[in-house]
Amino acid sequence: MSDRSSSPTEHLVRAVALRKAFGGIVALKSANLAVRAGTIHALVGENGAGKSTALGAIAGRLRVDSGSIFVGGTETTGISPRAAQSLGVAAIYQELTILPKMSACANVFLGQEAVRGGFLERSVMFDRYRALCQRVGVSIPPGVKAGDLSVADQQMLEIMRALASGARIILFDEPTSSLVNAERETLFRIMRELRTSGVTMVLVSHNLNEVLSISDDITVFRNGESTQTGPTSQWTRDALLAAMLGKAAPDLLASHRASDPVDAQAQPLIRVDDLHVPGILQGVSIQAHRGEILGVAGLVGSGRTTLLRAIAGLEPSARGSLVVDGVVGRWPTTARQSRRLGIALIPEDRKGQGLLMHMSSRENIGISNLARYSRAGFVRRSKMKREIRDVAQEFELDPSRLEQPVRNLSGGNQQKVLLARWHLAQPEVLLADEPTRGIDVGAKAAILTSLRASAAAGATVIVVSSELDELTVLADRVVVLAGGRLVEEFVAGGTGVRADLMLSAAFSE
Amino acid sequence: MNVETGAAGDAASTPPAPQTRSATSRVRGVAQVALRYGMIWALIILLVVARLVYPTFLSIDNLRNVMSQNAPVAIIAVGMTLVIICGGFDLSVGSIYGLGAVTFATVSSHASPTIALLVTLLVGCLAGLVNALIITQLKVNPFVATLATSSGFLGLAYMASNNNPVNLAPGFDTLGLGQLGGIPISGLIAIGVLVGGGVALSRTILGQNIYAVGGSAEAARLAGLRVQLVRGSTYLIVGTLSGLAGAIDCSKLGVAQADTGQDLPLVAITVVILGGTALLGGEGAMWRTVIGLLIVATLTNLFDSLAINTSVQLVVQCAVLVTAVSFDHLVRSASVASRKS
């Protein structure tokens, strides 16, 4: 951890003990960063380790709860993006901040238009635009709508915007995640040229090979903390992976594996063949049996979430064949069709897509099960109340709090409410996207137990998780996605499901 | 008028999607262009119909009449265009208009026409400032905020006029009835405001920023724009212009009534979205508002000349608005579909 130098001239950007929580979820616990002037400094870590949050804090996109940030010796903690820009700090975010309906040229000069006497000087901006295009080696017509451009070209516009502002510090958040190889090469060439001309850069990337080849220093983030930092020459790929993973899985995560191995010869309950979702999934095939928990690992952007969403009928452009319980049908393109097949999804964004936040726990559990308690369209409340009380007990939910709105519950209890809802509905296939994200360790164990219970009751459970430790103790089998394809499969028992192997496969692209 | 080359959000300035070989996509391309300019076709048809059923439609007298009749709406619609492209909404323009008319009439008995106009503009501007502060500082949704201030400003206008019509002092009718080279002065002012608004939108930093904030406030913030300042300025502009429109109307009628402009918000919004400016912001252009204005003006003129009663006119206005909004939606989903394929 490098607070080793107090000389502000050596480090152009310094962040000390940054802490940031979103709601109850701590994204940054204690992050330190020291970036030498004129270098490319890479931040690596697992999903949710806090890299992007740290970057956003430096760029002024978000305010930290505590800690301080210095740029060139001046404290910049809590400044606005506008103020950061005037200090020469520009950021290129993962979700690009391109305005799709405006022209390419207007996007580049947004906030820094050339004017004379109050009027825009189009010709001056066109000339500068062409010069910038030349500098980064692209040719994008200035008048074309930015929304009609490829992601790579849009990213180039952002880089040109940063260059046009005369930025001396450029922060890149996952700049290569949506680029093809040739485009990556172009980006790295530009970054090297910028470094030569004295620009300091911070790079957040999942691609360790890229990081090792282009950066000067690397800082590793883990669970919201910057754990290790040092010159790139001292790092190897394996050392980075080990640093990212930290120590072995905590003991709290005892095994939730099935007691009896699944009969691999039996007919699978669900079979997905050659699933395509344009631009995201390229021919993914998976299958899973009754009583089995299938884990899906992969980086953000690998298509994990889309896979679940497609099975749940939420991706209208999905093409492929889906066989549930031996029945071949059309690929479900609405949630309702998917529910009819007995498929239920616990989405990653449980507040936005899973729960009705202003309604009570009881109502939330009952909402997908109303038909069971209804006669001629009228809900029979007493029977429903009784059964919900039972299932709540099973999921360790406090019965006295069943009538309170779910927004007052902790993340762990909210997730239990969702699990209870689907437990009551008894789906054949239960899909869970990051079921333990942002949940404390105690509740995690309860959630893993209940997922196993669903499987033991005869359902198939498919779990997407970034917490590889969790998949190792929970899943009977794990498939790894990278770049929209299935790249590896691990079976518990044989080679075993090991976090380091999964991570390595996820980074294989 | 040369205000249509909005380098920013204007669909017209970019070629209609890269040309591809397949015939179907070419057909789709043609269909899209037709959709994009659908409102122009509608206007042309309407003009032809008007000319046919109403032979004196294009007479000088009638054109003068149309101009002075629609000048106030045109002036307010310019401000409304800015507000809507910036992603906002203003329901209080009618009340500011009434307040402006009452102010103009009240001051007329104490001061010169110039002073009266300046005071009126100032009152409109202040009303806009109130809206701007409520929306940008208290973070109240623009719809709710201006719904509230609409009754507030109307109340103020009633108070200022003691609930009675206020007579305008003699010699203040230039603004509303005067002519310059045979053209109504109010019409000339409206044209000036339209051109000025168009130039501001397509050729100034403020215009660029309005498109950007309306397109995505967060992206604009991250690009370093002063989002609240841009947003607020659009309400200031529309407030001032509503005051101006009120003064013109009062000058024409010779009397000011607090509640004369209560249907103006609906008319101004109709005009803006009829031209094809997106209700959700980030897209649109001043020439589009001109189209919308011409459609509404022609329709009204046609109805008046055929002596169709007001109740029918209101129903037709409703139909026109619904058609325009559903059309807007259709174009949007068509262009999304063609981009995906």
Side-chain angles (χ1 to χ4, degrees):
Chain A
M1 207 131 338
S2 129
D3 211 349
R4 57 183 184 230
S5 163
S6 54
S7 138
T9 46
E10 190 193 342
H11 292 135
L12 187 55
V13 179
R14 240 160 31 94
V16 184
L18 298 185
R19 188 189 154 81
K20 173 77 186 173
F22 296 99
I25 299 161
V26 179
L28 277 181
K29 262 182 228 148
S30 165
N32 297 297
L33 188 64
V35 182
R36 293 184 289 143
T39 62
I40 298 178
H41 193 115
L43 311 183
V44 301
E46 285 189 277
N47 296 332
K51 304 157 294 183
S52 296
T53 310
L55 204 78
I58 297 169
R61 177 186 205 167
L62 41 87
R63 256 165 228 264
V64 287
D65 300 333
S66 65
S68 20
I69 300 165
F70 301 88
V71 172
T74 13
E75 173 149 15
T76 62
T77 320
I79 57 171
S80 68
R82 185 183 180 78
Q85 223 169 52
S86 66
L87 282 168
V89 181
I92 290 154
Y93 298 102
Q94 203 172 355
E95 334 80 73
L96 299 173
T97 61
I98 285 292
L99 291 150
K101 290 165 189 168
M102 296 179 73
S103 73
C105 186
N107 264 288
V108 167
F109 293 101
L110 187 63
Q112 47 195 7
E113 294 88 353
V115 280
R116 182 191 287 166
F119 291 98
L120 300 174
E121 287 193 293
R122 285 256 164 73
S123 56
V124 173
M125 286 193 276
F126 278 177
D127 288 345
R128 279 194 212 157
Y129 178 86
R130 293 216 174 78
L132 284 167
C133 273
Q134 220 155 26
R135 186 167 166 197
V136 300
V138 297
S139 65
I140 305 168
V144 67
K145 261 204 220 177
D148 294 338
L149 295 171
S150 70
V151 176
D153 281 347
Q154 291 182 358
Q155 194 170 54
M156 284 304 157
L157 293 183
E158 294 233 23
I159 294 172
M160 286 160 68
R161 187 193 281 171
L163 293 177
S165 74
R168 55 193 179 119
I169 301 163
I170 304 182
L171 315 172
F172 290 90
D173 192 0
E174 293 283 356
T176 60
S177 58
S178 44
L179 301 187
V180 301
N181 279 336
E183 295 165 343
R184 290 177 188 204
E185 287 311 313
T186 311
L187 178 68
F188 289 137
R189 179 181 56 72
I190 293 167
M191 289 179 73
R192 289 199 179 93
E193 282 169 15
L194 288 174
R195 177 169 54 189
T196 313
S197 60
V199 176
T200 306
M201 282 161 282
V202 179
L203 167 70
V204 169
S205 177
H206 271 310
N207 191 318
L208 300 184
N209 294 331
E210 280 174 10
V211 163
L212 286 165
S213 80
I214 198 171
S215 70
D216 301 294
D217 297 293
I218 300 178
T219 298
V220 178
F221 277 67
R222 178 167 165 75
N223 289 339
E225 291 178 86
S226 52
T227 52
Q228 291 180 50
T229 188
T232 306
S233 53
Q234 293 175 7
W235 286 103
T236 63
R237 191 163 177 277
D238 288 342
L240 282 175
L241 283 175
M244 285 161 63
L245 274 174
K247 296 195 179 65
D251 294 341
L252 251 170
L253 295 176
S255 178
H256 296 269
R257 196 83 38 70
S259 39
D260 303 320
V262 175
D263 179 8
Q265 302 307 313
Q267 189 190 33
L269 178 65
I270 178 170
R271 208 174 81 216
V272 171
D273 276 325
D274 200 27
L275 170 63
H276 286 263
V277 175
I280 304 170
L281 291 179
Q282 280 115 32
V284 172
S285 302
I286 56 169
Q287 53 178 26
H289 295 85
R290 276 190 194 283
E292 187 179 31
I293 296 186
L294 174 68
V296 181
L299 303 173
V300 167
S302 62
R304 320 173 293 187
T305 294
T306 309
L307 173 62
L308 292 198
R309 283 177 53 84
I311 298 173
L314 301 177
E315 296 287 346
S317 58
R319 297 285 172 272
S321 102
L322 179 68
V323 185
V324 180
D325 215 1
V327 181
V328 190
R330 287 186 48 205
W331 190 275
T333 50
T334 67
R336 203 174 170 80
Q337 288 171 14
S338 176
R339 280 291 294 127
R340 287 223 173 117
L341 294 172
I343 298 168
L345 170 70
I346 299 176
E348 177 176 7
D349 174 16
R350 53 182 165 268
K351 291 182 184 179
Q353 297 171 0
L355 292 163
L356 302 154
M357 295 304 282
H358 59 285
M359 291 172 81
S360 71
S361 302
R362 186 172 57 74
E363 287 165 318
N364 266 287
I365 294 172
I367 193 86
S368 298
N369 300 295
L370 291 176
R372 287 176 46 174
Y373 307 114
S374 304
R375 187 178 288 157
F378 290 94
V379 180
R380 288 187 298 168
R381 301 181 68 106
S382 58
K383 184 183 176 202
M384 177 165 147
K385 265 188 166 166
R386 201 168 53 240
E387 288 198 15
I388 288 176
R389 185 162 295 246
D390 292 345
V391 75
Q393 219 139 32
E394 214 173 308
F395 281 82
E396 298 168 11
L397 284 162
D398 183 354
S400 66
R401 299 189 65 183
L402 275 181
E403 302 302 325
Q404 290 183 8
V406 290
R407 63 161 176 264
N408 296 345
L409 300 179
S410 72
N413 282 328
Q414 288 176 354
Q415 192 70 300
K416 286 182 191 169
V417 168
L418 269 181
L419 284 165
R421 175 198 289 173
W422 294 125
H423 184 77
L424 209 54
Q426 290 176 332
E428 299 264 29
V429 180
L430 181 61
L431 312 171
D433 195 356
E434 300 282 5
T436 62
R437 165 156 296 175
I439 287 171
D440 59 277
V441 189
K444 262 184 196 175
I447 283 160
L448 298 189
T449 310
S450 75
L451 287 175
R452 175 49 71 188
S454 293
T460 291
V461 180
I462 303 181
V463 180
V464 161
S465 179
S466 298
E467 310 267 338
L468 300 179
D469 301 343
E470 210 171 277
L471 289 182
T472 56
V473 295
L474 178 68
D476 302 306
R477 208 150 49 82
V478 174
V479 293
V480 182
L481 296 185
R485 290 173 205 282
L486 201 158
V487 291
E488 268 296 352
E489 179 166 340
F490 300 98
V491 181
T495 45
V497 175
R498 278 169 47 195
D500 54 341
L501 294 179
M502 282 191 276
L503 196 60
S504 184
F507 278 108
S508 67
E509 204 212 354
Chain B
M1 87 182 26
N2 184 26
V3 290
E4 66 200 61
T5 40
D10 185 16
S13 65
T14 52
Q19 291 300 311
T20 42
R21 299 108 232 140
S22 91
T24 50
S25 78
R26 198 168 305 136
V27 168
R28 198 181 292 134
V30 170
Q32 254 205 302
V33 173
L35 280 174
R36 252 177 207 167
Y37 298 107
M39 285 305 166
I40 298 183
W41 299 120
L43 174 62
I44 291 170
I45 293 166
L46 193 60
L47 288 174
V48 171
V49 170
R51 179 71 184 78
L52 289 179
V53 302
Y54 177 26
T56 53
F57 174 63
L58 290 176
S59 71
I60 299 292
D61 269 352
N62 189 49
L63 290 182
R64 267 190 205 131
N65 177 28
V66 168
M67 264 183 123
S68 79
Q69 203 175 24
N70 290 286
V73 175
I75 291 167
I76 292 174
V78 170
M80 193 65 87
T81 307
L82 305 186
V83 170
I84 289 180
I85 291 180
C86 198
F89 214 71
D90 193 340
L91 291 175
S92 70
V93 291
S95 296
I96 300 178
Y97 172 93
L99 192 59
V102 169
T103 306
F104 191 70
T106 310
V107 179
S108 73
S109 50
H110 307 291
S112 73
T114 316
I115 300 287
L117 181 60
L118 287 177
V119 172
T120 308
L121 293 181
L122 184 68
V123 167
C125 184
L126 284 175
L129 181 66
V130 170
N131 282 335
L133 290 176
I134 293 174
I135 290 161
T136 63
Q137 301 306 306
L138 303 181
K139 318 273 185 213
V140 177
N141 170 293
F143 189 93
V144 179
T146 57
L147 190 64
T149 58
S150 176
S151 54
F153 296 146
L154 180 62
L156 286 178
Y158 276 132
M159 280 186 235
S161 60
N162 289 322
N163 291 350
N164 286 317
V166 185
N167 286 314
L168 189 68
F172 279 70
D173 59 0
T174 320
L175 211 49
L177 297 174
Q179 291 193 357
L180 206 65
I183 305 171
I185 287 178
S186 59
L188 289 175
I189 293 175
I191 290 172
V193 170
L194 277 164
V195 172
V199 170
L201 198 53
S202 66
R203 303 241 181 259
T204 66
I205 289 189
L206 178 66
Q208 291 287 293
N209 289 358
I210 286 174
Y211 280 110
V213 170
S216 162
E218 178 65 1
R221 185 180 80 91
L222 293 176
L225 303 192
R226 281 169 292 197
V227 173
Q228 303 301 6
L229 195 69
V230 173
R231 230 179 229 158
S233 69
T234 61
Y235 292 98
L236 238 65
I237 293 169
V238 79
T240 310
L241 291 177
S242 302
L244 172 62
I248 289 174
D249 189 59
C250 170
S251 165
K252 187 165 81 182
L253 301 177
V255 64
Q257 231 170 327
D259 57 1
T260 45
Q262 287 306 298
D263 61 339
L264 271 174
L266 178 65
V267 178
I269 292 167
T270 309
V271 161
V272 174
I273 58 183
L274 257 181
T277 290
L279 251 185
L280 294 174
E283 230 176 346
M286 201 55 80
W287 69 262
R288 294 187 169 277
T289 298
V290 173
I291 302 291
L293 197 59
L294 291 175
I295 291 177
V296 168
T298 311
L299 262 182
T300 318
N301 188 242
L302 199 57
F303 288 148
D304 288 349
S305 68
L306 299 177
I308 293 172
N309 66 34
T310 327
S311 45
V312 176
Q313 292 193 23
L314 286 173
V315 173
V316 172
Q317 196 182 3
C318 156
V320 166
L321 184 61
V322 170
T323 313
V325 174
S326 50
F327 200 76
D328 183 56
H329 184 73
L330 195 74
V331 173
R332 205 185 304 276
S333 47
S335 81
V336 167
S338 78
R339 194 162 306 158
K340 273 194 175 170
S341 63

